[in-house]
Amino acid sequence: MNQHRPDLHSLAAAYALDALEPAEREDFAAHLSHCEDCRTEVAEFEATAARLAGAAAQDPPSALKQRTMAAVEGVRQLPPRVPETGAAPRTTRALKRKAVPLALAASVAAAVSFAGLAAWQYQESRDARQQAQQAEQQLDAVSTVLAAPDARTVHGRATNGALTTVVSSDRQNRAVFTAAGLPAPAEGRTYQLWLDRDGTMRPAGFIHSDGTVPLDGDSAGAGAVGLTLEPVGGSPQPTTTPLLLLALPA
């Protein structure tokens, strides 16, 4: 029964994510040799997957080394130990008496410095973990749609020149939006996504720069995906003319 066999053109996303069965992958690889559109889609999806994976990685804060070295330099070094030879002169005994509180003060200063550094590092680490978890969840959501057997792809160009792609899956009841060449919005503005249901635009999340994001809400029954410029924080309804209204496959 050939009606259940997916159209080769719809397998670009799954191929880029290495989610095809061996036989399907072999067929699609042969198809790529003579289909320029699919080669372009595969390259775009591979680049998007790499950007999303990279978002989960966190580099050490650039100021970490400077903060650590500053804390170390602020710790007073203890004097070297020397063997005692008989009764110590009065000056030596006085220096020893002073060295004890100085060493204690240095230890306290070091403890305070490193405690502050540890607290800062803990906060940085916690923020990095949260960002990594959010990126991982987003990557999972996007990958699930792109690898769905019934994934359907449509392309469009926004009025500001950005190239856009929407991949939707009825089985997953989700859709993802990709933008390339998206100009930076003016200060105080942001790009908001919408799902058009029978002429009613429903908020579907935001996209802040080039890349791929899952749309908020169920895409089943939506006729189109919209993109507008809105005040930062978003709007319950579009307040500007849509930059894009991309019809979804029926």
Side-chain angles (χ1 to χ4, degrees):
M1 300 290 288
N2 291 331
Q3 63 266 33
H4 297 294
R5 183 180 179 84
D7 178 21
L8 285 174
H9 294 280
S10 68
L11 299 180
Y15 179 85
L17 295 172
D18 198 21
L20 294 177
E21 296 294 333
E24 287 180 326
R25 186 171 185 82
E26 184 177 344
D27 289 346
F28 188 78
H31 169 74
L32 278 180
S33 64
H34 55 80
C35 183
E36 178 65 27
D37 289 341
C38 284
R39 286 198 298 271
T40 300
E41 280 197 24
V42 167
E44 290 174 350
F45 283 126
E46 286 177 341
T48 295
R51 285 196 297 270
L52 287 170
Q58 295 292 327
D59 294 328
S62 59
L64 178 59
K65 181 177 180 180
Q66 296 175 354
R67 289 175 181 267
T68 303
M69 297 307 296
V72 170
E73 291 174 357
V75 178
R76 188 183 182 91
Q77 202 171 19
L78 292 177
R81 292 186 178 183
V82 294
E84 294 187 6
T85 56
R90 180 181 301 176
T91 302
T92 303
R93 290 197 300 270
L95 288 175
K96 285 185 176 180
R97 286 196 298 271
K98 291 181 179 180
V100 172
L102 285 175
L104 288 174
S107 298
V108 171
V112 171
S113 297
F114 282 107
L117 179 61
W120 174 79
Q121 287 177 313
Y122 172 77
Q123 181 63 41
E124 290 287 317
S125 176
R126 186 174 64 178
D127 292 344
R129 285 197 300 270
Q130 290 176 345
Q131 292 174 5
Q133 288 174 351
Q134 291 172 355
E136 185 176 359
Q137 291 171 356
Q138 179 171 315
L139 179 59
D140 287 343
V142 170
S143 299
T144 299
V145 175
L146 298 186
D150 65 335
R152 299 167 299 172
T153 305
V154 291
H155 302 284
R157 184 185 291 271
T159 58
N160 60 7
L163 297 175
T164 64
T165 299
V166 175
V167 182
S168 59
S169 167
D170 287 342
R171 181 176 298 183
Q172 299 295 329
N173 200 19
R174 297 295 302 273
V176 298
F177 182 89
T178 298
L182 196 64
E187 186 176 356
R189 311 290 286 179
T190 189
Y191 289 107
Q192 187 167 356
L193 294 162
W194 307 87
L195 285 170
D196 181 3
R197 298 179 184 276
D198 299 324
T200 300
M201 303 292 277
R202 301 184 183 277
F206 304 90
I207 186 166
H208 303 291
S209 60
D210 288 355
T212 299
V213 295
L215 272 69
D216 295 343
D218 298 337
S219 63
V225 171
L227 178 70
T228 63
L229 269 173
E230 301 295 335
V232 170
S235 305
Q237 291 292 324
T239 62
T240 60
T241 302
L243 300 169
L244 173 80
L245 195 58
L246 189 60
L248 295 176

